[in-house]
Amino acid sequence: MWRWIRQQLGFDPPHQSDTRTIYVANRFPQNGLYTPQKFIDNRIISSKYTVWNFVPKNLFEQFRRVANFYFLIIFLVQLMIDTPTSPITSGLPLFFVITVTAIKQGYEDWLRHNSDNEVNGAPVYVVRSGGLVKTRSKNIRVGDIVRIAKDEIFPADLVLLSSDRLDGSCHVTTASLDGETNLKTHLAVPETALLQTVANLDTLVAVIECQQPEADLYRPLGPESLLLRGARLKNTKEIFGVAIYTGMETKMALNYKSKSQKRSAVEKSMNTFLIIYLVILISEAVISTILKYTWQTEEKWDEPWYNQKTEHQRNSSKILRFISDFLAFLVLYNFIIPISLYVTVEMQKFLGSFFIGWDLDLYHEESDQKAQVNTSDLNEELGQVEYVFTDKTGTLTENEMQFRECSINGMKYQEINGRLVPEGPTPDSSEGNLSYLSSLSHLNNLSHLTTSSSFRTSPENETELIKEHDLFFKAVSLCHTVQISNVQTDCIGDGPWQSNLAPSQLEYYASSPDEKALVEAAARIGIVFIGNSEETMEVKTLGKLERYKLLHILEFDSDRRRMSVIVQAPSGEKLLFAKGAESSILPKCVGGEIEKTRIHVDEFALKGLRTLCIAYRKFTSKEYEEIDKRIFEARTALQQREEKLADVFQFIEKDLILLGATAVEDRLQDKVRETIEALRMAGIKVWVLTGDKHETAVSVSLSCGHFHRTMNILELINQKSDSECAEQLRQLARRITEDHVIQHGLVVDGTSLSLALREHEKLFMEVCRNCSAVLCCRMAPLQKAKVIRLIKISPEKPITLAVGDGANDVSMIQEAHVGIGIMGKEGRQAARNSDYAIARFKFLSKLLFVHGHFYYIRIATLVQYFFYKNVCFITPQFLYQFYCLFSQQTLYDSVYLTLYNICFTSLPILIYSLLEQHVDPHVLQNKPTLYRDISKNRLLSIKTFLYWTILGFSHAFIFFFGSYLLIGKDTSLLGNGQMFGNWTFGTLVFTVMVITVTVKMALETHFWTWINHLVTWGSIIFYFVFSLFYGGILWPFLGSQNMYFVFIQLLSSGSAWFAIILMVVTCLFLDIIKKVFDRHLYPTSTEKAQLTETNAGIKCLDSMCCFPEGEAACTSVGRMLERVIGRCSPTHISRSWSASDPFYTNDRSILTLSTMDSSTC
């Protein structure tokens, strides 16, 4: 029973063995000796709460906050002992804060529940009771046989039993898992491959013994038989598979990092400040208690004639009385801890998050997707990012390869509008110096291969030789593993160079996007791959069909870094076509333009293009017989099969004739290079973490600007042992120290990274910190999360941000301080599990530089302002105790105590925190360096915190002693000679305080709207109206009416009005003077940007002033004055918004700022 309870609570897994036994279709043995293992259901859970645990779990999380827990204690103290104020003054705000926060977090979790329900409720078909039964995804059990149709997503991890193909193969894309849209081939279990009907499968009795679930995506169950949840079936009518891992045990779910509560740096600073204020509060309470008992040592003050003690009070314990008095003072001063700060912060985050979704600059028209906010708790963290970790495929790139250039027989060509155009003069031909396009016109007559050493024309023109470049595109069209969908293929390539027909009629699927791009390019040129049936590959060459018998495929592997096919031409000739990286093809070549091609490949690589070399070899009959025999022996070997195959492949792929090279571009998303450069200018380090191979990742890093051509690229790859890895790291550290290069880049692969993180973390981090850019390739999902965690826990404690689009990125998205999901073409796992979701990587710049900057400035000011106004509020209460013998008499009425933070001073700061724009949005976006001004939580530093705190204390002293000097010494301020009482004194202090803190907020505001004016001046007016109404009527439900006629009497005194104005001006004048001198003697970059803005929206350059033509420059004093008053000459400034302006020329924000022609300044 106890174990069952622990399992239900998640402390014990339901099964403990190393393997699991699965009975297909859940046909268990009938002998009664078998106890079925229990497996979890197929539900995916990304939410935090349930109906049952929401209240306790949410309350627990909320009372972890210092302020909430503190006010709970204060509320309980007020209930237990006699205190100066009512329990309502603490209980009501606390209840309001807890309720608003719970509603907000409950709403966000409800959205996650809806997302989960959409996935868990998806319809699926399961084989049960001799037929197909429609059910929901969440009802799939381990052992169920599931039918998946074309283009459907696998609802669980399945073992492929059969498909509609005779060989039991199927094709899938894993875009939602790893961002790759490549086609991957999977094979059914041989014993069940022929069971292609429901009736046959219903009779299947089988047992699967497999390992327990593990997170590694790159360690599949068997030879291409495991279909992972989240992948999509492509180019296959239907398949049947048995579920072996379900729900949160699928590989996709296991790669999710457990969802934890993320807390921003601002919230951590708030808790630190609260602890400091708690110390101040306790100190004030202790001082007051000690001074009270010190004062009461004199008998006349201990028990004055007008306040005699009861017998119970005389006999009570002194220790208990001391504790009781201490708690009473604690309650009296408790408002120095601003409980309303948290509810205002929650409202600011929740309401402010809508601005991200409403921003039209973050809206992607093509996909009709706007930015999404899944967690509003981290808005301000967008302004503190120091490291960006990004996936490559689908995040930086579109994952769409495009053929760009090629080199054929030593000549370079570009594809322009579906036609090949030479970059230089072509070799002489019989037809003269013509373009490659013209020289290929005779391909109309090509029909077969002859027994000569190269292609020949039709029998009518057998004497004409076809050049090597004619063979090039035949090699491209035949050397691949591309699949083609079953669509109408008539009219493809019927005429010469029908460049627009093949792509529109044929749909190719490939295991590599490079292959797909090359086959499509050949089709545009006129050599169209039609498809393969059984062992035949069909190609249309300018409308004429040719059939090649596919004899063998020498598959690609990472060691050889090439693939080959052996085909039999229509003439019977045996040919091998090979393609691969230049480092694996060129050394095997004995003919062709090797050196010229090598130069061209280097030129392509410098452009950031992905290159492949193409070569061929002709076999004699005797050579082919030997090759065929050796391949058969290697493929059927029972031991060391892979080694034998590798040896055979090396034997076959030699003595090649080089045909040329291809250059394919993995098309970057729009403005990726500009975005990465802007991030670098903002002081943010960019790391690329990808599962791609080394060469591909480096190529894309160069093309997207992550690596610069002038950057010194260091490599930590293919490390085999700890000692080897450590030595390489030490060498890299020495190179960084010795090389006089400004910037270094580091490339590290997953294997080497595992070794580096095992025992050499410090050394690895030292190398990384000295590199401007880091690229990690061949990374497993959990490795990405480990890298981010390593940076997070480093001594600098930097703020990290992760960007990804696939399920393999979920771990790093959840590990980073801020997780950004890219809403890709397929799959939404990353977007669902992220904090923010955007449609394109380029939107990251606006999200950080504008929204992040604004959110941080707003909330930093909000936090400091709250502490400031509460110090102003409670310090006069403390000072008042010195004048009332520490009798715990309150200075303010209890209604004022309750409403000060809730009504009188709450709206101006809330609206400020939602609408403030201290700098124009376009300035922030076009000047990424301004982001540095707010880095490292600069606006919430101890220095800034002390300034606001001291400012609050100084203003409080002016409120109290200014009022005391006015009313003290029995001065009469009324026309009838009457004097003010203690409630009038307190009301005067309170009135000055409300006006001062509200006007102080107005001074902090740079961006004024009608809403700001309404709440700022409306708050002051509301206070006066409320006070007149509250003090002008005898309220029957109030036990005491201390404030009756007090406020009206106060306002009837002209001296009181003069005192209010004098104290407000005195408080704010020194603050204004300090601001002016700080801004103009020690301005930050942001303040310089503010100084460029003038009355008519015309802006000058930083640190300059604009003058009419021919006018001499100002003297230093004159220039200082011009800058202080912000004066420029707008008549000499021309402004325009050009398409060359970075990032967002189609900006549709309310406020716009165009560039300025600086030549006029």
Side-chain angles (χ1 to χ4, degrees):
M1 181 65 180
W2 173 244
R3 184 183 177 190
W4 180 86
I5 294 173
R6 287 179 60 82
Q7 288 178 2
Q8 298 306 308
L9 294 175
F11 295 114
D12 282 345
H15 33 260
Q16 302 291 339
S17 60
D18 294 332
T19 61
R20 56 168 54 186
T21 303
I22 300 167
Y23 287 82
V24 177
N26 290 302
R27 293 188 178 91
F28 302 114
Q30 302 299 319
N31 53 21
L33 299 178
Y34 173 72
T35 302
Q37 289 178 307
K38 292 184 179 180
F39 306 113
I40 66 173
D41 59 28
N42 198 41
R43 287 180 299 171
I44 288 291
I45 302 172
S46 63
S47 54
K48 285 171 54 180
Y49 305 111
T50 66
V51 174
W52 310 110
N53 72 8
F54 175 73
V55 173
K57 190 172 182 179
N58 187 263
L59 287 178
F60 173 75
E61 288 182 352
Q62 292 208 54
F63 283 117
R64 286 170 56 195
R65 290 176 167 173
V66 176
N68 289 352
F69 182 73
Y70 160 77
F71 269 90
L72 177 64
I73 298 298
I74 292 294
F75 177 64
L76 295 177
V77 168
Q78 288 178 297
L79 291 177
M80 290 186 293
I81 68 171
D82 182 25
T83 58
T85 56
S86 167
I88 296 177
T89 59
S90 296
L92 188 62
L94 178 64
F95 176 78
F96 181 67
V97 168
I98 296 297
T99 303
V100 170
T101 305
I103 291 172
K104 169 187 168 289
Q105 293 182 351
Y107 170 74
E108 291 178 347
D109 204 61
W110 176 71
L111 295 178
R112 285 190 284 265
H113 272 283
N114 287 345
S115 178
D116 291 342
N117 291 337
E118 182 181 348
V119 174
N120 295 329
V124 294
Y125 287 91
V126 178
V127 177
R128 288 178 186 163
S129 304
L132 281 178
V133 178
K134 186 176 181 179
T135 184
R136 295 183 181 277
S137 174
K138 65 181 179 182
N139 297 327
I140 294 176
R141 298 170 298 173
V142 171
D144 280 345
I145 299 176
V146 184
R147 191 207 74 169
I148 306 296
K150 181 181 177 182
D151 290 327
E152 289 183 352
I153 294 176
F154 301 127
D157 288 353
L158 310 174
V159 169
L160 180 59
L161 296 179
S162 64
S163 75
D164 64 328
R165 300 169 184 258
L166 292 177
D167 60 356
S169 66
C170 73
H171 304 287
V172 304
T173 59
T174 56
S176 65
L177 291 174
D178 53 18
E180 300 281 354
T181 56
N182 317 338
L183 206 67
K184 297 176 175 60
T185 303
H186 291 261
L187 300 174
V189 177
E191 291 79 5
T192 62
L194 297 178
L195 303 179
Q196 296 177 308
T197 64
V198 175
N200 290 338
L201 288 168
D202 193 51
T203 62
L204 176 63
V205 178
V207 179
I208 296 176
E209 188 84 16
C210 64
Q211 63 199 17
Q212 294 292 1
E214 60 176 15
D216 193 350
L217 284 172
Y218 300 104
R219 289 180 58 189
L221 177 77
E224 305 293 336
S225 60
L226 184 63
L227 305 173
L228 300 182
R229 175 175 187 143
R232 188 185 294 271
L233 184 65
K234 286 286 188 182
N235 206 26
T236 308
K237 184 178 178 182
E238 67 175 11
I239 63 102
F240 291 93
V242 58
I244 59 169
Y245 305 127
T246 53
M248 300 306 291
E249 290 183 340
T250 58
K251 286 184 179 290
M252 181 184 77
L254 289 174
N255 273 280
Y256 293 170
K257 186 179 173 291
S258 58
K259 187 175 280 290
S260 59
Q261 181 77 13
K262 292 185 179 181
R263 299 171 63 208
S264 68
V266 170
E267 186 173 336
K268 294 173 184 175
S269 297
M270 283 167 53
N271 284 343
T272 302
F273 298 160
L274 283 170
I275 291 172
I276 294 173
Y277 270 64
L278 194 58
V279 171
I280 295 174
L281 169 66
I282 294 173
S283 301
E284 288 183 347
V286 170
I287 291 171
S288 297
T289 308
I290 293 173
L291 289 176
K292 176 181 180 176
Y293 281 90
T294 303
W295 214 303
Q296 290 179 354
T297 53
E298 296 184 39
E299 188 174 347
K300 66 175 182 176
W301 299 124
D302 182 36
E303 191 174 352
W305 60 270
Y306 54 85
N307 191 17
Q308 296 290 317
K309 292 182 180 178
T310 64
E311 194 64 28
H312 174 72
Q313 289 174 328
R314 291 192 183 96
N315 296 329
S316 61
S317 170
K318 289 186 177 181
I319 295 176
L320 290 177
R321 275 190 292 159
F322 185 89
I323 294 173
S324 177
D325 284 328
F326 169 75
L327 293 175
F329 279 117
L330 210 61
V331 170
L332 188 64
Y333 303 147
N334 77 84
F335 285 96
I336 197 172
I337 306 293
I339 186 172
S340 56
L341 167 63
Y342 273 112
V343 72
T344 308
V345 166
E346 293 289 347
M347 292 174 66
Q348 187 267 348
K349 289 181 176 182
F350 179 68
L351 297 175
S353 64
F354 288 103
F355 289 103
I356 293 178
W358 293 338
D359 192 340
L360 290 177
D361 288 333
L362 302 183
Y363 170 72
H364 190 242
E365 292 184 7
E366 294 178 16
S367 58
D368 190 28
Q369 292 171 331
K370 64 178 184 178
Q372 297 176 3
V373 179
N374 299 326
T375 306
S376 60
D377 291 338
L378 303 171
N379 292 342
E380 65 276 8
E381 207 80 330
L382 294 170
Q384 294 296 294
V385 175
E386 297 173 61
Y387 280 82
V388 167
F389 299 88
T390 176
D391 180 38
K392 180 190 73 67
T393 308
T395 302
L396 299 179
T397 69
E398 297 280 8
N399 200 26
E400 293 179 358
M401 304 298 175
Q402 291 185 346
F403 178 81
R404 292 300 185 197
E405 300 183 56
C406 63
S407 171
I408 306 174
N409 197 27
M411 283 295 301
K412 280 170 54 176
Y413 299 90
Q414 288 181 319
E415 184 187 18
I416 301 177
N417 296 326
R419 297 173 179 269
L420 283 183
V421 178
E423 291 190 8
T426 62
D428 292 338
S429 67
S430 60
E431 297 174 307
N433 193 16
L434 303 175
S435 71
Y436 175 54
L437 183 61
S438 301
S439 69
L440 272 181
S441 60
H442 64 278
L443 277 176
N444 279 310
N445 297 324
L446 181 65
S447 64
H448 66 279
L449 282 169
T450 68
T451 55
S452 65
S453 60
S454 65
F455 284 113
R456 287 188 182 272
T457 61
S458 60
E460 291 81 5
N461 298 300
E462 287 185 1
T463 58
E464 185 177 353
L465 293 175
I466 306 300
K467 296 182 179 181
E468 293 285 349
H469 52 248
D470 303 339
L471 189 58
F472 179 83
F473 282 104
K474 285 293 182 70
V476 169
S477 297
L478 295 171
C479 184
H480 56 73
T481 57
V482 171
Q483 299 291 325
I484 192 169
S485 60
N486 298 322
V487 296
Q488 181 65 36
T489 58
D490 292 342
C491 302
I492 301 297
D494 286 343
W497 312 110
Q498 300 293 323
S499 62
N500 62 337
L501 289 178
S504 62
Q505 297 290 330
L506 295 175
E507 186 176 5
Y508 293 117
Y509 294 99
S511 59
S512 164
D514 301 75
E515 287 190 337
K516 183 173 182 287
L518 292 176
V519 172
E520 288 176 342
R524 291 193 297 271
I525 299 303
I527 302 178
V528 185
F529 171 64
I530 299 300
N532 50 4
S533 56
E534 297 181 357
E535 296 180 351
T536 301
M537 301 183 74
E538 297 180 349
V539 175
K540 268 190 178 181
T541 305
L542 298 180
K544 296 188 177 181
L545 184 66
E546 298 178 355
R547 290 185 174 88
Y548 296 86
K549 185 176 182 181
L550 180 61
L551 302 175
H552 295 287
I553 298 178
L554 312 187
E555 295 86 358
F556 176 88
D557 64 64
S558 57
D559 293 329
R560 287 168 42 246
R561 296 172 62 199
R562 59 181 177 267
M563 76 154 290
S564 303
V565 294
I566 301 176
V567 297
Q568 180 177 329
S571 63
E573 192 173 35
K574 310 289 194 307
L575 287 175
L576 175 139
F577 293 115
K579 70 177 179 184
E582 71 277 6
S583 59
S584 63
I585 293 290
L586 296 183
K588 300 289 183 180
C589 292
V590 294
E593 296 287 350
I594 298 176
E595 291 306 317
K596 287 184 179 180
T597 304
R598 192 192 306 274
I599 294 172
H600 291 168
V601 166
D602 291 340
E603 292 174 355
F604 295 153
L606 284 174
K607 298 178 183 178
L609 303 177
R610 298 158 63 110
T611 58
L612 289 173
C613 288
I614 310 291
Y616 82 104
R617 177 186 176 187
K618 184 176 75 69
F619 297 118
T620 63
S621 299
K622 184 176 180 181
E623 286 175 335
Y624 177 74
E625 288 176 4
E626 180 184 0
I627 286 170
D628 188 53
K629 179 181 177 183
R630 294 184 65 166
I631 289 177
F632 177 79
E633 291 175 350
R635 290 193 187 278
T636 56
L638 298 178
Q639 295 180 344
Q640 297 181 328
R641 181 184 302 172
E642 292 183 358
E643 289 82 355
K644 291 180 179 179
L645 277 174
D647 292 340
V648 173
F649 291 172
Q650 292 287 354
F651 173 75
I652 297 172
E653 296 169 326
K654 64 180 182 181
D655 301 330
L656 303 178
I657 306 298
L658 183 64
L659 291 173
T662 62
V664 175
E665 180 184 27
D666 185 0
R667 192 161 69 89
L668 292 174
Q669 289 188 15
D670 190 28
K671 299 188 184 299
V672 164
R673 177 183 287 272
E674 293 93 329
T675 303
I676 290 179
E677 185 59 34
L679 292 173
R680 191 174 282 123
M681 290 173 63
I684 299 173
K685 289 191 175 183
V686 181
W687 288 33
V688 175
L689 311 180
T690 178
D692 273 2
K693 56 185 180 182
H694 168 240
E695 295 83 2
T696 305
V698 171
S699 174
V700 173
S701 283
L702 287 168
S703 62
C704 73
H706 179 235
F707 284 165
H708 286 300
R709 300 292 172 190
T710 57
M711 193 178 284
N712 184 21
I713 308 298
L714 310 175
E715 291 190 344
L716 180 67
I717 57 176
N718 300 325
Q719 303 301 305
K720 305 297 183 185
S721 64
D722 282 337
S723 57
E724 182 182 346
C725 181
E727 179 58 33
Q728 180 67 11
L729 282 171
R730 282 190 282 270
Q731 289 182 9
L732 294 179
R734 282 196 297 270
R735 283 186 59 186
I736 291 174
T737 305
E738 296 168 0
D739 289 353
H740 300 290
V741 178
I742 296 176
Q743 292 184 329
H744 297 273
L746 175 66
V747 182
V748 57
D749 61 7
T751 306
S752 304
L753 181 69
S754 297
L755 295 172
L757 298 183
R758 190 179 303 167
E759 294 182 5
H760 315 293
E761 280 190 8
K762 290 184 178 179
L763 188 56
F764 177 70
M765 281 303 302
E766 179 187 346
V767 172
C768 289
R769 277 196 295 268
N770 290 317
C771 292
S772 301
V774 178
L775 169 65
C776 300
C777 53
R778 299 308 296 167
M779 297 279 287
L782 289 179
Q783 275 186 314
K784 295 182 179 182
K786 287 180 181 177
V787 169
I788 294 178
R789 178 156 185 80
L790 180 67
I791 298 296
K792 281 174 63 178
I793 63 176
S794 61
E796 295 84 3
K797 298 286 189 300
I799 303 299
T800 59
L801 179 145
V803 194
D805 71 317
N808 66 329
D809 301 317
V810 170
S811 293
M812 74 170 185
I813 284 173
Q814 293 182 339
E815 177 65 53
H817 293 94
V818 183
I820 308 289
I822 301 291
M823 294 178 282
K825 297 177 181 176
E826 296 189 42
R828 288 291 184 271
Q829 282 82 356
R832 276 204 306 267
N833 287 273
S834 64
D835 303 307
Y836 303 89
I838 54 179
R840 286 293 182 268
F841 182 80
K842 67 177 181 180
F843 295 153
L844 193 61
S845 62
K846 178 92 184 263
L847 194 64
L848 297 185
F849 302 152
V850 178
H851 289 286
H853 201 119
F854 281 158
Y855 283 134
Y856 178 73
I857 291 287
R858 292 165 181 170
I859 202 166
T861 306
L862 184 151
V863 170
Q864 306 279 26
Y865 177 76
F866 254 92
F867 285 111
Y868 154 77
K869 72 186 183 74
N870 277 47
V871 168
C872 290
F873 183 40
I874 218 64
T875 303
Q877 185 87 277
F878 173 68
L879 297 175
Y880 186 57
Q881 297 306 304
F882 287 87
Y883 294 86
C884 65
L885 296 182
F886 296 93
S887 60
Q888 297 156 11
Q889 168 66 35
T890 177
L891 177 63
Y892 314 119
D893 183 73
S894 59
V895 173
Y896 285 165
L897 282 171
T898 305
L899 297 183
Y900 174 75
N901 280 316
I902 295 178
C903 295
F904 298 147
T905 61
S906 58
L907 282 180
I909 183 59
L910 177 62
I911 297 302
Y912 170 92
S913 66
L914 292 173
L915 302 179
E916 171 65 3
Q917 296 181 12
H918 62 298
V919 181
D920 191 280
H922 294 293
V923 175
L924 289 178
Q925 195 165 342
N926 294 331
K927 294 184 178 180
T929 50
L930 298 182
Y931 193 80
R932 297 172 184 252
D933 279 357
I934 60 170
S935 62
K936 300 186 182 300
N937 206 12
R938 194 162 296 169
L939 298 186
L940 286 175
S941 63
I942 292 296
K943 178 181 178 182
T944 313
F945 168 73
L946 289 177
Y947 166 73
W948 280 90
T949 302
I950 294 170
L951 186 68
F953 277 114
S954 62
H955 285 184
F957 273 78
I958 294 174
F959 302 155
F960 184 83
F961 288 108
S963 301
Y964 178 77
L965 290 174
L966 178 70
I967 296 179
K969 306 299 181 184
D970 298 333
T971 304
S972 173
L973 299 177
L974 295 174
N976 58 8
Q978 289 183 343
M979 292 179 293
F980 288 154
N982 65 315
W983 291 114
T984 311
F985 174 72
T987 304
L988 176 61
V989 173
F990 192 84
T991 303
V992 176
M993 178 170 55
V994 169
I995 296 174
T996 302
V997 298
T998 305
V999 177
K1000 169 64 177 171
M1001 188 72 262
L1003 291 176
E1004 295 297 320
T1005 303
H1006 297 88
F1007 185 74
W1008 283 90
T1009 66
W1010 66 267
I1011 303 177
N1012 294 83
H1013 285 290
L1014 177 66
V1015 299
T1016 301
W1017 316 122
S1019 293
I1020 297 175
I1021 294 171
F1022 173 75
Y1023 164 70
F1024 278 88
V1025 172
F1026 174 83
S1027 297
L1028 288 170
F1029 190 64
Y1030 171 60
I1033 298 175
L1034 285 171
W1035 299 96
F1037 54 83
L1038 292 178
S1040 62
Q1041 189 72 31
N1042 297 322
M1043 294 298 295
Y1044 179 66
F1045 220 66
V1046 168
F1047 195 71
I1048 297 172
Q1049 196 176 46
L1050 175 67
L1051 297 186
S1052 66
S1053 170
S1055 300
W1057 280 104
F1058 175 76
I1060 291 171
I1061 296 171
L1062 181 63
M1063 283 187 280
V1064 170
V1065 171
T1066 303
C1067 287
L1068 298 176
F1069 179 72
L1070 293 176
D1071 190 38
I1072 293 172
I1073 293 297
K1074 180 186 180 302
K1075 277 182 175 294
V1076 169
F1077 276 92
D1078 279 351
R1079 290 173 66 87
H1080 296 288
L1081 295 179
Y1082 309 103
T1084 63
S1085 299
T1086 304
E1087 289 168 345
K1088 289 178 182 178
Q1090 290 172 340
L1091 286 172
T1092 65
E1093 301 181 17
T1094 57
N1095 296 333
I1098 306 299
K1099 307 183 186 248
C1100 299
L1101 297 178
D1102 286 355
S1103 304
M1104 293 184 182
C1105 197
C1106 303
F1107 302 101
E1109 293 182 11
E1111 182 174 314
C1114 303
T1115 63
S1116 58
V1117 176
R1119 193 180 299 110
M1120 169 79 174
L1121 291 173
E1122 291 285 349
R1123 289 183 59 195
V1124 168
I1125 63 176
R1127 180 181 300 162
C1128 286
S1129 178
T1131 58
H1132 294 277
I1133 300 174
S1134 63
R1135 300 172 60 72
S1136 62
W1137 180 257
S1138 67
S1140 63
D1141 290 331
F1143 307 116
Y1144 297 93
T1145 58
N1146 62 334
D1147 195 292
R1148 288 157 288 179
S1149 300
I1150 296 173
L1151 295 178
T1152 58
L1153 167 66
S1154 54
T1155 56
M1156 186 187 71
D1157 184 3
S1158 59
S1159 63
T1160 63
C1161 292

